[in-house]
Amino acid sequence: MLATYLIGLREGLEATLVVSILVAFLVKSGRKDRLTQVWAGVGLAVALSVFFGWLLSYTSTTLLQKYEHRELFEAVTSVLAVGFVTWMIFWMRQAARSIAGDLRGKLQDALAVGSVAVAVMAFLAVVREGLETSLIFYSAVQGASAGSGPLISLLAGIVSAVVIGWLMYATAVRINLSLFFTWTGGLLILVAAGILKYGVHDFQEANVLPGLNSLAYDISGVLDPSAWYTALLAGMFNITPTASVLETVAWAAYGIPVLAIFLWPARGKAPAPTTETPTPASAPQP
């Protein structure tokens, strides 16, 4: 549940910041008449993302009849999710300083074309976050106990992100987004390492990779499988009482170097200034 909350919070805040930049630009430039098209594009992006998440679940539970095929499907989606998480984290770090200007430029071009172009621009700006969220969420909850807890946590994270975004837009509240994205990025890398570990396990279950019964460790005597802290570690980072050699190698081979690369540049640079969401009063003129 903590992992899915983090996913919802991180992805939700990115999408919320995108929408707030677009809305602030239209308000400041006196083009409130185009807000309807922006919200239409955002709504369509959300609907497509929900459908994509449903399609992933439906494919795994209904369309694929054989156990090996389901495991293979889950393994492939896990690897794709890890790729998206990694790309998203590093892309956001590079694009954070220029994303607002880029979005304003694209929206200004869309305004010159017409209302449909504005809706399409808003759709494209948000749909990437939505599709990523659906794929990462689907992969993160594989192997979790049945129930609505992970979905509720995801929605809670998204709601939290919307509230934070609204507070930054409508009030004087300011958050150091550079620090926020650094911390959440590091945690998501560990979550992604756990997703990759589970993906390797699925490949082994599907008989694509060997070594399912070749355990790297068995600490079930120390880490009680029924304890709450074991469930916490398994749900957040997929750290389990037992794991095969390939699972452990995959977790370490991805998690350690990627986390080191992500954190290393920050040590030699001056702290980045606090990133602020533009408000109607502070958004620059087009």
Side-chain angles (χ1 to χ4, degrees):
M1 292 178 65
L2 284 175
T4 54
Y5 177 83
L6 176 64
I7 292 168
L9 180 63
R10 167 74 186 227
E11 294 284 346
L13 188 55
E14 287 188 19
T16 300
L17 291 175
V18 168
V19 174
S20 67
I21 290 169
L22 299 180
V23 171
F25 179 82
L26 291 177
V27 171
K28 182 61 178 178
S29 59
R31 299 303 304 270
K32 291 184 180 181
D33 58 307
R34 295 304 186 190
L35 287 175
T36 301
Q37 286 77 41
V38 168
W39 289 117
V42 172
L44 182 59
V46 172
L48 180 61
S49 302
V50 172
F51 173 76
F52 180 60
W54 171 84
L55 183 62
L56 289 173
S57 179
Y58 181 75
T59 300
S60 177
T61 59
T62 305
L63 295 183
L64 299 177
Q65 299 297 323
K66 291 186 178 181
Y67 174 77
E68 290 82 2
H69 292 170
R70 291 195 299 271
E71 294 297 313
L72 184 59
F73 177 77
E74 292 175 3
V76 171
T77 54
S78 294
V79 173
L80 289 175
V82 171
F84 273 116
V85 168
T86 308
W87 175 82
M88 175 263 294
I89 290 171
F90 284 95
W91 175 84
M92 189 62 186
R93 187 174 63 175
Q94 296 295 325
R97 295 181 181 274
S98 61
I99 187 172
D102 292 342
L103 286 171
R104 294 186 191 110
K106 290 178 181 178
L107 183 55
Q108 192 167 22
D109 293 340
L111 286 170
V113 175
S115 58
V116 175
V118 172
V120 171
M121 186 269 162
F123 169 80
L124 294 176
V126 176
V127 73
R128 178 181 62 84
E129 306 292 345
L131 295 179
E132 283 179 2
T133 302
S134 296
L135 179 60
I136 298 168
F137 171 73
Y138 172 80
S139 300
V141 300
Q142 298 306 311
S145 57
S148 58
L151 179 59
I152 293 174
S153 297
L154 177 76
L155 295 176
I158 294 174
V159 171
S160 300
V162 172
V163 171
I164 292 173
W166 180 83
L167 288 173
M168 294 178 66
Y169 178 88
T171 71
V173 173
R174 293 293 177 263
I175 296 176
N176 189 327
L177 293 178
S178 176
L179 184 62
F180 172 84
F181 284 126
T182 297
W183 276 98
T184 56
L187 289 173
L188 278 177
I189 287 173
L190 296 179
V191 171
I195 293 175
L196 180 61
K197 175 176 174 286
Y198 190 84
V200 170
H201 178 81
D202 281 338
F203 275 125
Q204 292 176 317
E205 291 278 3
N207 296 318
V208 174
L209 292 176
L212 179 61
N213 298 316
S214 300
L215 298 182
Y217 62 84
D218 183 353
I219 55 174
S220 54
V222 177
L223 199 62
D224 184 2
S226 62
W228 66 268
Y229 51 83
T230 303
L232 176 64
L233 290 173
M236 190 71 182
F237 307 122
N238 202 11
I239 297 176
T240 54
T242 62
S244 69
V245 173
L246 281 180
E247 289 178 73
T248 305
V249 169
W251 194 98
Y254 171 86
I256 295 175
V258 173
L259 186 61
I261 293 171
F262 178 73
L263 296 176
W264 180 261
R267 297 179 180 178
K269 297 181 180 179
T274 300
T275 305
E276 299 181 356
T277 301
T279 64
S282 63
Q285 291 284 355

